Amino acid sequence: MKKLLSILAVSSMIVSVPLNTIACGRNKDRVVDDYDFERQKQLMIEAINDIFQKNLKNDFDKFFFIEEDNNPFEFGYEEFVEKLDYFNDPESDYYQNIKSTIENLVNWKSIENEVQSEVVANVNYKQLLIDNQSPIKNGYEIEKIEFIHKENAKAVTIQFQISSDVYFLDRIGSQDFETISFTSQMSVFKEVDVAGIFKGIQTEYINQINSEEVANSFKILSDKGDLAQTANQILEDESFKLQISSILNQIVADTQEDGFKFNGEKFKWKWTNNKVSVNSMLSKGFKPNFGWSERYSKSGETLRAALHGDKEEEKTLLEDIKNKDSKFLPRQEQKTIENIDELIAKHQGMARSMNPYILDYNFQDSYLKTQIDEQGSEFIFIPENEEKTIAIFQMELINLQISYNEDNFELPKMLVFFRQETTKSNTLELENQFLDDAYYFNKLFYNFDENSSQDSNPDFIYYLNKPENWDELVNKKLPMEDYFPDLIEAADPAALEKLNNLGLSIDICRDLWGGWGRQKFIQFNNDGDIYFFNDINDYDEYPYLKIWFFSPNINENANNLSFLFGKREDFKGKEVGVSPSAWKFK
């Protein structure tokens, strides 16, 4: 199995649900507007891995601690110890016997059925399937079985890995695969009472993490839209680790048994950022009405005056775009909740783009909610009480260990759910800061300042700072993902400050039917004209810079609070490297 995913050995995929998200993959009948092969491939593999991890966890968590008289294996503690070398030899009958027993504990039919209903039946994955067959058609493999004698505890721990190849068609229609893997362990004890105590600790640990009091106690204060930044803030906050450690220490103490203690040295949180995003937007976003072509010249006059230094016009613009009835930045309404206006009106300063009612609407049908229900967590979301909640993060507890007579034994992985709350007075204040910061980032990024005027820049060229060492790249086709960060880093520090205040995300995009897509390449000519495009032979489009509050890479087609100056229809590109561009190096 040649290609091991980054999701290797994760027993449950971790979900982050920003206040503006819709669970990807939940609506298997909705066709995405732009077929992004790599993204759809990754989403399909993640969906299969979720099913794989969840089902195998259910199969094996019950066998973490095994009493000798309730042992699924043919061998007892004494025989495991006596013939340990044989058990650790993959060629031996003993190893093969254990492998066969583990195979019999796997409910593979359950995994196959769920993959069939959730993946094979999903219209968005049809182009990836080989003859419309299940991507896990070749089943699974038990491997890397290791037997560890824990002499002080009089136990043998059996660690193992279960892997499956996920098959799909690549871009050119050839068959390819990637491997997903699950790891677990089982410990066989000689002493029945010791195994019983471990089982009791495991049960109480699961009950407390899932309890209403504990499940709803985790909260992080952050105004960042960058989900990774917020996740890292959680990971680095020692108070959360202390809270979990306190729970485990008390559980162990309550056993009143000698030799047992909680070992928190290796305990850590885990978060994976490419999972689910949930959008609380009432709309597809804010559609700018600034207009750059002649037929829209009046609607764009205020923006153009502001860019040329007119402070009064700039004030008018900023006040207008913060209004729900804005004429410059009208909202595209999609009322998924009929009485949403009435609900929002009950609260002081609740934003239409960030509110708990739409979050709850999406949350109830999200992958995150499924995870909560399947684990048995009593995490509760009551929108009336969540005025400042802008996101929910799912973190995974890993490497929690209980030691007995100085030998360590892991507990099963568990999920914990975090609310992200704004530090602002309300979400409307946060939305308004986003609009301020997004506007000023654009202005500063394009080098409009107090010296900009009709005389100095009559065509409102978007002047960018050229990164160091870029002179040698003239007329070369440059991948956006590799070179666009250089353009951002070269910007005015004041622009970067606006971007970093709230952890905003940006990209150069193009319109698609029903949505948007990223431009893939950058090129510039000797005159300094800059081109953002997908196909050098098809440049008949309007690229634009888009700024999002929440990280858009979670779900590219999900609704998300965003801002842009609009498409430069006055500079319609015809030929890369030749046509005049609205983007130019200073």
Side-chain angles (χ1 to χ4, degrees), residues 260-396:
F260 288 86
K261 67 178 181 180
F262 169 63
N263 181 358
E265 292 180 2
K266 295 184 178 180
F267 156 49
K268 60 183 179 181
W269 299 101
K270 184 175 178 62
W271 181 72
T272 302
N273 69 347
N274 58 345
K275 191 59 196 114
V276 177
S277 59
V278 174
N279 195 334
S280 73
M281 293 285 290
L282 287 173
S283 65
K284 292 182 178 179
F286 296 163
K287 184 177 181 180
N289 193 26
F290 295 128
W292 291 93
S293 66
E294 289 185 7
R295 64 192 177 112
Y296 291 123
S297 59
K298 290 184 178 180
S299 63
E301 286 178 358
T302 301
L303 173 62
R304 290 190 283 273
L307 295 180
H308 274 167
D310 189 321
K311 296 300 182 183
E312 286 301 314
E313 290 292 270
E314 185 169 73
K315 180 181 178 182
T316 298
L317 183 147
L318 290 172
E319 289 177 350
D320 175 87
I321 65 176
K322 296 170 188 175
N323 191 314
K324 68 182 180 68
D325 299 316
S326 171
K327 64 180 180 180
F328 297 131
L329 202 64
R331 279 58 168 167
Q332 295 178 296
E333 300 298 338
Q334 283 186 337
K335 292 189 176 181
T336 51
I337 301 176
E338 290 185 1
N339 63 334
I340 188 63
D341 293 327
E342 178 184 336
L343 293 171
I344 291 175
K346 295 178 180 179
H347 304 268
Q348 183 70 33
M350 181 170 286
R352 296 175 67 80
S353 63
M354 294 186 188
N355 69 77
Y357 296 102
I358 305 296
L359 172 56
D360 182 59
Y361 177 88
N362 291 317
F363 167 74
Q364 295 301 329
D365 189 37
S366 69
Y367 182 84
L368 174 58
K369 183 63 164 61
T370 301
Q371 292 283 83
I372 289 171
D373 291 343
E374 288 177 348
Q375 180 171 288
S377 172
E378 295 184 35
F379 179 89
I380 300 172
F381 189 87
I382 302 174
E384 290 81 3
N385 302 332
E386 304 281 355
E387 288 184 330
K388 298 178 71 173
T389 302
I390 64 171
I392 302 171
F393 283 78
Q394 178 180 297
M395 311 297 286
E396 188 175 30

Side-chain angles (χ1 to χ4, degrees), residues 222-233:
S222 172
D223 296 322
K224 300 293 187 181
D226 186 323
L227 301 173
Q229 285 190 39
T230 305
N232 285 334
Q233 185 179 343

